[in-house]
Each structure stands twice: as structure tokens, then as C-alpha cells.
Amino acid sequence: MKGKSIFKKRKFAILVLLLIIFYFGPTFLGGYYWTEKSAIRNVDSIPAGKVIFEKEFKNKKVVVWDTGQIKYVRLIENNFWFLYRSTSVSGIDGETSDEKMKTTWLVSQGKDALFAAEILDEDIVKVIVSNEANLEGENLSFKEVKEQSSLFVEMDVKDGVAAQYTSLLHSESINFVFRGVNADGNDVSTF
């Protein structure tokens, strides 16, 4: 009888230990969470909100989080099958001088780049991000921009936002230009 009692106590202790590890584990795992939803919601001091945009890239996902006052873009990674973490976050708050877009970009770990735009002008259906060295301020065609850039990213607008993840070289992470493009392919706003 005494042996069964000790076995039950050990089983209970192991169960309690596993529950503690399961509940508090992500805190000790470098910011990893058990679910993608937790990784999106429980990081940083960003207020409550909702996901309004998602786009997947292999083991990464770009998410735009709307708090009602400001929108944030996040990069969520899933490197370990069931563990998720938010590796990058940035507020979309860089407003263009013509007040047609708000933009942000973030390069982290020297190679992961996030680009995002909140569209304030309903004519804009696509956002192009490039890094051409147009120092003279010339109006370039999109073909010329593409030829002069080592980075050329086209983002379709969905629900008033556009976002993209890309991996880039350190030398490419300069002179980012955001262009809002209408349905006819014309440049509506440049930042």
C-alpha cells in the first residue's frame, strides 16, 4: 500500500511540474509562445487590438495589428514546429507629406526586412518599395526604378494596408522609397 501512495504522489508531482513548464515555459524560451495568437498578442507593450492583415513566408508570417489608433507590423517566426515568437515590430506612423500613406520599414538581424504601409488615399492599390539612388529627384518610370534598384518590392493593398517580408543584403538596406500606385499604374504618392 505504501508503494502505491508514493507512486501517486510522484505522478501528481510530475503532472504539476509539467503543467508549470507548459504554462511558464515560453517565458524562459527566449520569447517563444505555444501558439501564434499568443506570440501576436503578448509581446511588447502594444495595446489590445486585432489582426487586419496576414501574409505567410515559409516559417515566417507578417501580421498587421490594429489598435484603433495606430497600426503595427510584426514578423512572427515558427522555427520549432509548435513554438512561435515575434521577432520584429514597428508602428506604421511615418506619414507622407501629401498625407496619402503612412509607412514604416525595419531591418533586423542584418537581413530580415519588414515593409508596411497604411493607405489613406483610396486610389492607391499597390505600394512599391525600392532603393534606387535617385539623387537628382527625377521622375523615373517604374522600369527605370527597377533597373536602378537592387531591391524592388511590390505590395498589393488589402483592407487599407500593405506589408511584406524579405531577406536582403546589408548593402541593400539604404535609401528606401515608397510609392503608392493607382489602378492605372500611375504614381500617386512618393515617400
Side-chain angles (χ1 to χ4, degrees), residues 37-181:
K37 185 177 178 180
S38 294
I40 293 169
R41 297 180 70 91
N42 298 332
V43 180
D44 307 319
S45 59
I46 294 174
K50 64 181 180 176
V51 173
I52 61 168
F53 178 93
E54 294 178 289
K55 190 170 183 182
E56 291 193 32
F57 302 89
K58 293 186 183 178
N59 67 330
K60 297 176 182 1
K61 183 184 271 190
V62 174
V63 174
V64 175
W65 181 258
D66 185 2
T67 66
Q69 295 178 342
I70 191 168
K71 293 174 177 64
Y72 294 88
V73 63
R74 294 181 181 270
L75 182 63
I76 306 297
E77 289 186 355
N78 178 4
N79 293 327
F80 301 111
W81 178 54
F82 60 90
L83 294 175
Y84 300 85
R85 77 174 174 167
S86 177
T87 58
S88 303
V89 64
S90 182
I92 306 173
D93 55 4
E95 193 163 352
T96 58
S97 59
D98 58 13
E99 299 179 353
K100 294 183 178 186
M101 291 190 303
K102 291 182 181 181
T103 64
T104 191
W105 61 270
L106 177 69
V107 178
S108 64
Q109 302 170 358
K111 61 179 174 122
D112 289 337
L114 273 178
F115 301 102
E118 178 183 357
I119 308 309
L120 305 175
D121 183 333
E122 63 186 36
D123 289 340
I124 297 173
V125 298
K126 184 183 290 191
V127 178
I128 295 175
V129 181
S130 61
N131 66 348
E132 83 280 357
N134 183 10
L135 302 177
E136 293 85 33
E138 299 174 28
N139 288 332
L140 301 175
S141 69
F142 292 126
K143 181 181 178 188
E144 292 171 319
V145 168
K146 196 170 191 174
E147 289 171 356
Q148 293 184 20
S149 302
S150 59
L151 172 79
F152 189 86
V153 175
E154 293 184 53
M155 305 183 296
D156 291 324
V157 175
K158 181 182 172 195
D159 297 326
V161 294
Q164 180 78 23
Y165 160 81
T166 190
S167 185
L168 47 90
L169 302 172
H170 182 69
S171 61
E172 295 175 321
S173 60
I174 55 170
N175 298 331
F176 294 126
V177 178
F178 287 75
R179 289 179 174 83
V181 180

Side-chain angles (χ1 to χ4, degrees), residues 21-27 29 32-39 81-84:
I21 289 171
F22 186 77
Y23 185 77
F24 292 106
T27 306
L29 295 173
Y32 282 96
Y33 290 88
W34 299 114
T35 66
E36 181 180 292
K37 185 177 178 180
S38 294
W81 178 54
F82 60 90
L83 294 175
Y84 300 85

Side-chain angles (χ1 to χ4, degrees), residues 5-25:
S5 176
I6 291 173
F7 181 70
K8 283 185 179 181
K9 287 181 183 178
R10 282 187 183 165
K11 239 171 106 172
F12 181 73
I14 289 171
L15 180 63
V16 168
L17 182 62
L18 286 174
L19 287 173
I20 289 171
I21 289 171
F22 186 77
Y23 185 77
F24 292 106

